[in-house]
Amino acid sequence: MSATDAPVQSSPTRPAKPPVSWKLLAGGALFVLISWWAGSGRFGVGFSAPELLSGFERGQRILEDLLNPRWQAWRGLIGPFIETLRIAVLAALIGCSAAFGMALLTSRVSAPGLRSFLAGKAVLNVVRSIPDLLYAMVFVAVFSIGPLAGIVALILFNIGVVGKLTSETIDGIDTGPLEAAQAAGASHTQVIRTSVVPSVLPNYVAYSLYAFELNLRASLVVGFVGAGGIGQVLFVALNGFRYDVVSLIVICIFVIVFLVESVSIALRRRLV
Amino acid sequence: MIRFDNVTLDYAGGVRALDDVSLDIDAGELVVVVGLSGAGKSSLVRAINGLVRPSAGTIEVDGREVGSASPAELREIRSDIGMIFQGFNLVKRTSVLNNVLMGRLHVVPRWRTLLGMYPAADVEVAMQALERVEIVDKAYVRASNLSGGQQQRVGIARALAQEPKVILADEPVASLDPPTSHVVMRDLQQINRELGITTVVNLHFLDLARAYGDRIIGLRAGRIVFDGPGSEADEQVFEDIYGRSLTADDVLQAKAEL
Amino acid sequence: MTIPQTPTHTPPRVRTTTASATRPERPRRYGPLGLALTLLAAGLWAAWTSGIDLAAVLRGPQAFVRILALMFLPPDASAIPGALSGMVESLQIAWIGTIIGALISLPLGLLAAKNVGGRISPTVSRQVLNLLRSLPELVLAILFVSMIGLGPLAGTLAIGLGSIGTLGKLTAEVVEGIDRGPIEASEAVGGGRFQVLRWGVLPQAMPEIIAFWLYRFEINVRASAILGLVGAGGIGGMLANFLSYRRYGSAGTAILIVIATTIAIDIASSRIRRRIITGKSATKHSLEPLAQVVTP
C-alpha cells in the first residue's frame, strides 16, 4: 500500500474480502476424504508405493516374457485382425446411421413431440450407460460365441456415443432457418431435412469417424469375451500363459490403433 | 386480404403485446408498421402467419382464419404467405438455390424433399425468383459466403418462390447498412407494385417508413395510434407513436452520415 | 428533430427489370457420391465375408428377449450386496485412476501445448500422448494383472495410464485455445515460467480442464466396471462369472446396478461441469470457482 496516495475526500470504503465459498471448501474436503478412502489398503484399492513395488517384483518373470514378443507368430494374426476390421466397419455403418435418427429424436430442436422426446432421451441415456464390453458379454450369451455378438454389441455402443454427440450438436444450431421453413408452410420432416441436416452434417460425419475409431479399439478386445476378432486370440494366449504371444498381439493392436487414429484425426480436422 | 378483429395477444409472463387491435388490409397494399420495440409491431406481423397465436379475437388471411387453424391448415395458409426476417434465416451451409427452394416445400412431395430431388418446374420458379432480385449468378454459392444485403435478397427470393399472396417482413433492414437498406426496400416496393402482392413491413427507421410505405400503421403499447398514408405522417405523428421526442437512432439517414 | 426527406439514392448497379444475369451451370460434385459408394462397398464386403449366418441374425431378437426376461424379470435380489460392493470397488478404481491420469496429464498437456511448451517439447509430447492413447484399457489391465497380479491395484493402474493420453491431448488443446492477453501480462510484469503458468495460463484453462477430468471420470466408471473381467477388480469379474454360469438373474442385478450408477455419476458430473464452465458470471472462461482459491 503506497503511503503517497493522497487521500480523496469522498473515498469509498473498501469492501470486505469475500469469504472463501464454504461450498468449495466442503467440496475440497469431501474430495480428499473420498480419495483417501478409495486409495487405502483396507477399504480401497491399496494404492501405495510398497504395494506397487512388491507387485512388480512378483511379476518379474512375466515381465521378461512380455519383453520378448514372439515375432514369428504374426501370420496367424492376420485373419483375426481382418475379422476385427469387419466388426468395426459393419457396426459403424449400421450404428451411426441409426444414431442419426436417434439424435433427431432426442434433441429439443428436432423432436417431433414431447412424449417421443422424453422416451427417446430415456432410452438413449440407458443405451449410453452400458460399456461396450458389457454389451459384448450379453450378446455372446444371446448369439453365442462369434463376430455377430460383437457387431450387434458395437452397434448399440455406437448409437449411444454418436447419438448423444449429434443430439447435442443439433441442440446448438441456429434455429432461424427452421423458423423460416415453418413460415413457408413446410412439414416437420421437411423442416428437418432442409434446415437441420445441412447444419449438422459435417459434425455428424466427424463424430462417426470418431465412433469408427472407438469401434476399432473396442472390436480389438470384444473377442476377449468371445465376440470375435483378435481379442479371442488374446484370450487363448493369456490362458495358456503364452506371454510372448500376448506381447506380440499387444504390439500389433498398438500399431493399428495408432495408425487409424492418426488418419482419423487428420480427416476430422478437414471436416469441421 | 388481411383482417384483424379485436385481436388481443398476451405472452406468458403477463406481457400484453396487442390490445384489442382491429384493422383491414386490402389486397395489393404496402403497409409499414412502426413503433417502439415492445410496442407490438413484431407480434402484429408474426400473428398474421400464425407464428404467434392471438389470445382473443380473430385474424383472417384471404378469408381463412389463422388463430384456430389446425397444423395442416396452418401450413396451407403459410404457403401463401412469404416471410422475410431481420436475421435473414438462411441455411448457411448450403447453396443459395437450396435456400430459395425452401419456398417450394409445401408443394413438393415429401419424398422428393427428403432426397433433395426437386422437380424441374419448381427449380424454374426458384431461378426466376432469383432473377427478379438479380442474384441468380450466385445460385450455387454457399449462403454464408454472401454479404448481408445479398443474403436478404436471397430471403426475398425464397419468399417469392412460394408464389405468395402476402409478403411479411419483420425488420428486414435492421441488420443492413443504409444504401443496402434502400435497395432492399426498393425491391419490396417493386415486387408489391409489379406483382400486386400484399406486403406488410415492420420498420423502426422512420424515414424509410415514410419513403416506402403507402400506408403507415403506428403502434404504441399494443394499440393502433395512427393509420394513414405516409404523407400524413409528420414528426408530430411519430412523436405520438413513440411517446417521446425523436432521436437520431430513429432515422436511417442520420446513421449514414455518421 | 426533423425527419429528412429521403433523397433518391442511386443504387450501386444498373438495374433492369428483365432478367439480366445468366444462370450459372450446376456444379458437379463427385465427393459425396464417391463417399457413399465407398461406404456401401465396405459395408457389403464386411457383411459378405464375415460368414454370418442370416438365420442366426433372425433368430437373434427372440433369443435376446428371452435373455432379457431371464435377467430382469425379475433380477436376482440376493445378488445385490455382492454386486454393490463390486460396484463400489469399481468406483474406487475409477476415482483413483482418474486422479492419477489427471495429475500426470496436466504437466504433459502443458508441455504438449504449442503456446506454452516451447519449441521442441510440443511435438515430442504430442507423440508420447498419442502413443499412450493407443492402448485399450482392457489390454492395459491384462498387462498390469500379468505384471503385479490380480486385484484392484492393477485396474487402477490401467485406468490411470489409459487416461493420460486422452486427458493430455485435451489439456493441450484447451491451453492452446486460451487468450494470449494474460500470458503477455504476466510476462510483462517480469514473471518467470512458473508464474506465467500460474497466473496467465492456469486460471483461464483450469475450468475446462477440470471439466474434462470429470468427463473422463464418467468414462472411467464404465471402463472400470468391465476390467474386473480380467481380474483387475470391481464388478466386472462378478458379471463375467454370472454370465458364463448362466446365472442370468444375478447378471441382471449387476447390470442394473452398473446402469444406475453410471447414469447417476453422469448426471452429477454434468451438473458440476456446467457450473464450472458457466460459473456465476457468464464469461466464457469463468474464473469464479478457482479464483477464490487462487487469490491470496
Side-chain angles (χ1 to χ4, degrees):
Chain A
M1 224 6 268
S2 166
T4 56
D5 276 353
V8 182
Q9 274 302 69
S10 53
S11 60
T13 46
R14 295 189 198 158
K17 180 172 166 187
V20 185
S21 152
W22 69 266
K23 262 190 235 169
L24 204 60
L25 276 181
L30 190 64
F31 180 80
V32 170
L33 204 66
I34 295 183
S35 306
W36 178 84
W37 165 74
S40 70
R42 214 165 145 229
F43 307 108
V45 303
F47 190 78
S48 60
E51 277 282 350
L52 283 171
L53 282 176
S54 64
F56 279 114
E57 259 183 48
R58 272 179 268 133
Q60 279 278 40
R61 272 249 335 259
I62 297 181
L63 198 60
E64 278 172 17
D65 275 346
L66 282 175
L67 292 175
N68 283 315
R70 186 180 171 77
W71 301 107
Q72 313 92 299
W74 73 272
R75 249 176 260 271
L77 298 182
I78 297 185
F81 264 121
I82 295 192
E83 185 170 73
T84 295
L85 197 63
R86 273 191 229 117
I87 295 176
V89 167
L90 269 181
L93 284 177
I94 301 179
C96 293
S97 312
F100 195 75
M102 201 61 190
L104 287 175
L105 192 62
T106 55
S107 163
R108 257 173 281 122
V109 172
S110 58
L114 187 64
R115 246 170 299 171
S116 41
F117 168 68
L118 290 174
K121 261 220 144 24
V123 167
L124 190 61
N125 278 335
V126 171
V127 169
R128 278 178 62 224
S129 63
I130 301 178
D132 44 5
L133 275 183
L134 183 49
Y135 275 125
M137 287 197 264
V138 170
F139 283 110
V140 164
V142 173
F143 290 108
S144 81
I145 295 187
L148 183 56
I151 295 174
V152 177
L154 290 184
I155 288 177
L156 284 173
F157 171 65
N158 264 208
I159 293 179
V161 171
V162 177
K164 173 77 175 173
L165 285 171
T166 310
S167 158
E168 285 179 347
T169 305
I170 298 178
D171 276 338
I173 62 174
D174 178 11
T175 50
L178 278 92
E179 191 179 42
Q182 284 169 339
S187 69
H188 186 73
T189 18
Q190 286 175 322
V191 172
I192 292 187
R193 169 66 182 85
T194 53
S195 316
V196 175
V197 170
S199 307
V200 301
L201 207 54
N203 295 71
Y204 167 67
V205 174
Y207 297 145
S208 300
L209 258 175
Y210 172 61
F212 177 67
E213 233 189 279
L214 288 180
N215 265 7
L216 199 58
R217 304 174 70 186
S219 53
L220 288 165
V221 288
V222 289
F224 203 78
V225 293
I230 194 77
Q232 221 146 346
V233 185
L234 189 60
F235 182 74
V236 169
L238 207 58
N239 276 359
F241 300 104
R242 297 298 310 272
Y243 290 104
D244 49 346
V245 177
V246 169
S247 177
L248 176 66
I249 297 178
V250 170
I251 293 179
C252 290
I253 290 180
F254 178 73
V255 169
I256 290 186
V257 173
F258 186 67
L259 286 175
V260 170
E261 220 155 284
S262 312
V263 171
S264 165
I265 289 177
L267 281 177
R268 272 188 280 148
R269 203 165 292 158
R270 298 180 69 214
L271 270 171
V272 193
Chain B
M1 173 64 67
I2 303 176
R3 157 175 293 206
F4 275 58
D5 245 328
N6 300 105
V7 171
T8 299
L9 206 152
D10 294 317
Y11 284 117
V15 177
R16 173 154 289 192
L18 293 176
D19 197 351
D20 199 33
V21 167
S22 293
L23 62 90
D24 261 304
I25 299 179
D26 288 327
E29 281 197 72
L30 174 55
V31 176
V32 174
V33 182
V34 295
L36 282 177
S37 310
K41 49 185 205 292
S42 195
S43 309
L44 183 82
V45 168
R46 276 155 185 264
I48 297 178
N49 67 352
L51 286 179
V52 298
R53 303 274 193 143
S55 322
T58 58
I59 302 172
E60 268 182 28
V61 176
D62 198 20
R64 291 180 290 189
E65 222 226 290
V66 173
S68 61
S70 70
E73 288 168 354
L74 194 58
R75 288 201 294 271
E76 182 72 39
I77 297 174
R78 284 176 177 169
S79 68
D80 282 330
I81 305 177
M83 188 154 187
I84 300 162
F85 303 84
Q86 175 181 351
F88 325 131
N89 283 358
L90 300 183
V91 181
K92 295 194 174 53
R93 277 182 169 153
T94 188
S95 68
V96 161
L97 182 60
N98 278 337
N99 270 290
V100 177
L101 280 169
M102 280 170 68
R104 306 298 298 162
L105 283 177
H106 189 76
V107 297
V108 173
R110 229 167 271 198
W111 68 270
R112 277 187 175 268
T113 43
L114 280 180
L115 292 176
M117 291 168 35
Y118 292 89
D122 294 286
V123 178
E124 177 66 25
V125 173
M127 284 294 196
Q128 284 181 1
L130 282 171
E131 280 168 352
R132 174 163 281 276
V133 292
E134 298 193 344
I135 203 169
V136 72
D137 50 326
K138 305 255 189 246
Y140 296 107
V141 172
R142 210 161 116 132
S144 53
N145 290 346
L146 300 180
S147 71
Q150 289 170 324
Q151 287 191 35
Q152 191 59 295
R153 278 193 274 159
V154 175
I156 296 177
R158 179 177 60 197
L160 280 178
Q162 289 176 239
E163 298 178 314
K165 302 200 178 91
V166 176
I167 285 186
L168 304 174
D170 190 1
E171 305 260 14
V173 299
S175 313
L176 304 174
D177 60 49
T180 321
S181 300
H182 280 285
V183 168
V184 169
M185 287 307 298
R186 182 155 305 175
D187 272 335
L188 287 177
Q189 194 180 45
Q190 270 183 354
I191 288 170
N192 166 259
R193 293 205 174 129
E194 288 170 20
L195 299 179
I197 301 177
T198 314
T199 308
V200 182
V201 183
N202 219 341
L203 285 180
H204 68 264
F205 287 129
L206 304 174
D207 51 346
L208 281 186
R210 262 229 308 241
Y212 295 101
D214 302 331
R215 173 179 170 192
I216 296 185
I217 293 181
L219 282 180
R220 181 174 159 181
R223 289 172 176 273
I224 298 183
V225 295
F226 176 80
D227 185 352
S231 51
E232 279 178 28
D234 57 12
E235 294 82 57
Q236 186 58 43
V237 166
F238 280 125
E239 285 188 359
D240 277 340
I241 297 175
Y242 276 28
R244 57 162 170 76
S245 309
L246 302 176
T247 66
D249 276 336
D250 303 323
V251 169
L252 188 66
Q253 185 61 22
K255 269 180 128 63
E257 274 155 16
L258 209 65
Chain C
M1 57 164 282
T2 53
I3 304 169
Q5 287 298 105
T6 315
T8 41
H9 277 258
T10 30
R13 297 159 42 216
V14 174
R15 301 177 55 119
T16 60
T17 46
T18 54
S20 50
T22 45
R23 294 186 189 175
E25 218 185 79
R26 189 199 174 126
R28 304 213 153 263
R29 283 158 62 227
Y30 296 113
L33 190 63
L35 184 65
L37 283 177
T38 320
L39 289 178
L40 196 62
L44 285 175
W45 162 79
W48 200 252
T49 59
S50 64
I52 291 179
D53 180 17
L54 202 60
V57 178
L58 294 173
R59 264 181 280 129
Q62 203 183 4
F64 184 51
V65 172
R66 194 177 60 90
I67 293 212
L68 278 188
L70 284 172
M71 280 197 219
F72 302 115
L73 306 169
D76 179 7
S78 67
I80 293 185
L84 274 178
S85 75
M87 192 69 222
V88 165
E89 190 172 68
S90 290
L91 283 176
Q92 291 173 327
I93 293 175
W95 187 275
I96 302 285
T98 311
I99 294 181
I100 297 176
L103 288 176
I104 301 185
S105 70
L106 190 56
L108 270 179
L110 287 171
L111 277 174
K114 296 197 195 87
N115 56 347
V116 167
R119 204 151 302 188
I120 316 172
S121 43
T123 22
V124 171
S125 311
R126 278 279 165 131
Q127 288 313 322
V128 169
L129 287 173
N130 278 338
L131 291 180
L132 282 174
R133 286 177 69 201
S134 295
L135 279 176
E137 258 111 19
L138 191 73
V139 173
L140 282 172
I142 291 176
L143 288 176
F144 279 118
V145 167
S146 312
M147 285 196 275
I148 65 173
L150 300 165
L153 196 53
T156 312
L157 287 175
I159 297 268
L161 211 63
S163 307
I164 297 178
T166 324
L167 279 179
K169 175 167 181 276
L170 292 170
T171 303
E173 281 175 5
V174 170
V175 171
E176 278 173 2
I178 60 177
D179 261 328
R180 185 107 190 101
I183 299 183
E184 280 180 353
S186 24
E187 281 172 356
V189 298
R193 209 82 184 291
F194 273 119
Q195 281 145 329
V196 172
L197 276 179
R198 162 107 161 65
W199 297 106
V201 177
L202 287 182
Q204 284 189 75
M206 275 322 272
E208 271 189 78
I209 293 180
I210 294 187
F212 280 130
W213 289 351
L214 283 168
Y215 182 61
R216 189 71 205 178
F217 178 61
E218 281 178 52
I219 295 182
N220 285 343
V221 167
R222 289 169 170 76
S224 62
I226 290 300
L227 292 186
L229 180 59
V230 294
I235 198 174
M238 223 174 278
L239 244 178
N241 252 328
F242 289 152
L243 282 173
S244 53
Y245 287 111
R246 300 182 193 266
R247 292 179 48 195
Y248 291 124
S250 315
T253 309
I255 293 179
L256 284 175
I257 289 184
V258 171
I259 294 180
T261 312
T262 313
I263 292 187
I265 301 253
D266 274 3
I267 294 179
S269 167
S270 313
R271 268 208 205 127
I272 302 181
R273 271 189 290 140
R274 210 171 301 153
R275 283 215 62 212
I276 291 185
I277 292 285
T278 56
K280 300 201 192 84
S281 58
T283 54
K284 181 167 181 255
H285 290 283
S286 166
L287 307 181
E288 275 292 17
L290 264 319
Q292 288 175 325
V293 183
V294 167
T295 46

